[in-house]
Amino acid sequence: MIAAFEGWNDACQAASDTIRHLVARYDSKEIRHIRCDGYYDYQTTRPLVCHATGRRRIIWPQTTFYDLEIAPGQHVYAQIAPEPNYRWRDYCNESLRIADELDVTHVITLGSMFADCPHTRELPLDVEYNGDETGDPDQRYSGPVGIPTILDAIAHEEGFDTTSMWVSIPQYLGSDGCAQATMRLLNGLSHLLDMPLDLGDLPCKAEKWKAQATMLVRCNDDLATYVQHLEHEHDMNEKARQEASLGGPACEQLVKEAEAFLKGLE
């Protein structure tokens, strides 16, 4: 089951747009709902009014579950909702009861966040499996969290396999839609599901987004300098990761080559 929530966890609507894209591109049907009662502050997440067939209708915030056939005989479920305001543990438990009824064994939560990253490089995608906290403790996030993190944690406690997937979006570009980020999440899901997902017109939209961002940067010297700094930082971090992945012997060889170069300067 793939879950995304509108609101604080959904910069540029990239995570929720991933669910909407899947629903639009594949055979899908609504199969479950969680009613809004007790979970929402209507001054924060307001109901909507719409007019259809000549009648006025009030649309209340709610959670919708979809059955998606992404390949012949291969189905995934999707959950989409505004982030609840109240009773998160109850809400997550209700979501997981539905997941259990659907024989779900793996819960994937999606999120998007603004960060210091350049639009000229591949957008960072952070993936965590089963609450794994390996790696440098100094690099682990500490701070406020949203409903995807809580759902991921409770699902892991309840024995589900879990994957948390977050894409970073350049914070200097504002809050409009970001097809590049949605496509990054879809590519991450393709890898996780071990099958290509239909990107539709996202590559074209992503190129347009990138071109608009580049034009914005060209019109602002201070912003251009800032983006150059982010590019340099990104490239240095990427080089460090590549060198670390080479293993001990290769790193030792790099050190020897650097020492030889420095001696040649003496």
Side-chain angles (χ1 to χ4, degrees):
M1 185 176 75
I2 307 166
F5 300 89
E6 303 164 351
W8 188 75
N9 328 269
D10 193 24
C12 291
Q13 302 82 51
S16 58
D17 278 350
T18 301
I19 300 296
R20 295 187 190 97
H21 177 87
L22 291 171
V23 169
R25 301 300 299 185
Y26 292 99
D27 289 335
S28 62
K29 58 182 178 180
E30 296 184 20
I31 54 172
R32 296 282 197 286
H33 297 91
I34 296 177
R35 294 180 57 83
C36 56
D37 300 342
Y39 291 128
Y40 291 100
D41 174 355
Y42 296 137
Q43 290 183 321
T44 302
T45 308
R46 291 185 179 273
L48 301 174
V49 62
C50 71
H51 295 271
T53 63
R55 299 180 61 185
R56 187 179 70 171
R57 182 183 176 194
I58 301 297
I59 307 298
W60 296 90
Q62 69 172 0
T63 302
T64 303
F65 293 83
Y66 292 92
D67 181 346
L68 306 170
E69 187 174 15
I70 58 175
Q74 185 170 354
H75 293 251
V76 298
Y77 300 103
Q79 174 183 5
I80 186 170
E83 181 179 53
N85 301 106
Y86 306 120
R87 298 170 53 212
W88 280 13
R89 183 172 288 278
D90 289 343
Y91 176 85
C92 291
N93 286 334
E94 189 169 354
S95 298
L96 294 174
R97 279 196 296 271
I98 292 173
D100 195 48
E101 291 172 5
L102 298 172
D103 294 326
V104 167
T105 59
H106 191 168
V107 175
I108 304 168
T109 53
L110 306 180
S112 53
M113 58 187 174
F114 291 115
D116 293 325
C117 58
H119 73 279
T120 52
R121 303 293 188 268
E122 186 174 57
L123 298 182
L125 184 68
D126 296 319
V127 182
E128 184 179 279
Y129 302 99
N130 293 319
D132 180 27
E133 292 190 346
T134 58
D136 185 356
D138 293 334
Q139 299 300 315
R140 297 174 190 166
Y141 173 76
S142 297
V145 297
I147 194 70
T149 303
I150 303 302
L151 179 61
D152 178 86
I154 294 179
H156 180 62
E157 291 172 0
E158 294 296 320
F160 291 87
D161 289 329
T162 61
T163 301
S164 173
M165 193 176 296
W166 286 77
V167 64
S168 295
I169 299 172
Q171 61 181 355
Y172 56 85
L173 293 180
S175 58
D176 291 337
C178 183
Q180 184 73 38
T182 297
M183 190 166 67
R184 189 80 168 96
L185 287 170
L186 282 168
N187 287 334
L189 286 172
S190 294
H191 177 75
L192 190 63
L193 298 172
D194 196 26
M195 67 169 300
L197 292 173
D198 185 356
L199 298 179
D201 60 354
L202 281 176
C204 181
K205 290 182 177 179
E207 285 300 317
K208 183 178 180 180
W209 171 84
K210 191 173 181 179
Q212 291 174 336
T214 298
M215 183 61 67
L216 176 66
V217 171
R218 287 177 179 172
C219 296
N220 187 317
D221 291 340
D222 289 340
L223 183 56
T225 300
Y226 173 65
V227 172
Q228 288 173 1
H229 166 74
L230 293 179
E231 290 172 338
H232 176 73
E233 189 175 69
H234 175 279
D235 293 344
M236 292 298 292
N237 289 336
E238 186 62 28
K239 182 179 180 182
R241 282 193 293 269
Q242 290 176 356
E243 291 178 354
S245 68
L246 294 176
C251 289
E252 184 178 349
Q253 180 61 32
L254 286 172
V255 171
K256 289 180 179 179
E257 291 175 1
E259 290 175 345
F261 173 75
L262 292 174
K263 286 181 180 179
L265 297 177
E266 294 176 356

